[in-house]
Amino acid sequence: MATAAVFTEHGFQKIFTLGLPGVTEAFTRAGVPLPLLTAPLSAVLELAGGLLLLLGLASRPLAGTLAALVVVTRLPGLLAGGPVGWTQLEVPWLLLCGSLAVLLGGPGLTVGAGLRGAHPAEPAGARRRARPTSRRTP
């Protein structure tokens, strides 16, 4: 849920605070490929994808897409700047790891499931059926 919340916040900032022209300019300076395409795509995917992840909808495909998005949009800027310190890596690293965790492990509990008190689906065969008791007829 934390990864989804951070993606949602970043998408919100890109659309409503920085604006798409500002994000496009930042992507151009950072060397992100195709900034006119990747800036709006990134903003919309982060905002909508983060919200959908919070709800547990299409979690694995979204997580894979968001992980790829982190690599495509953050890696060029980090590599172009010379030596990179932990402060530049921590947020992209956490978003990448969180996305990969959802991609590989599934959504787990979602916001909606947590509010309803539901639990994630059990793996096949996790529950064993009770053996019927034998009844003898007199």
Side-chain angles (χ1 to χ4, degrees), residues 7 9 28 30 33 39 42 47 54 57 63 68 86-87 95 102 109 119 125:
F7 272 121
E9 175 60 26
T28 302
S42 171
L47 180 61
L54 277 172
L57 301 173
W86 177 246
T87 55
L95 289 174
V102 173
L109 281 177
H119 297 285

Side-chain angles (χ1 to χ4, degrees), residues 3-82:
T3 301
V6 172
F7 272 121
T8 302
E9 175 60 26
H10 283 195
F12 185 86
Q13 286 177 350
K14 285 178 178 159
I15 294 172
F16 299 109
T17 305
L18 300 172
L20 294 178
V23 175
T24 303
E25 183 181 322
F27 277 20
T28 302
R29 282 193 315 266
V32 175
L34 302 169
L36 289 173
L37 175 64
T38 54
L41 183 65
S42 171
V44 170
L45 270 173
E46 287 179 5
L47 180 61
L51 290 172
L52 290 172
L53 275 180
L54 277 172
L55 297 172
L57 301 173
S59 299
R60 286 187 166 166
L62 274 171
T65 303
L66 290 169
L69 183 71
V70 169
V71 171
V72 169
T73 59
R74 304 289 173 100
L75 192 60
L78 293 172
L79 295 177

Side-chain angles (χ1 to χ4, degrees), residues 120-129:
E122 292 179 342
R127 269 193 199 168
R128 295 182 184 210
R129 292 183 183 178

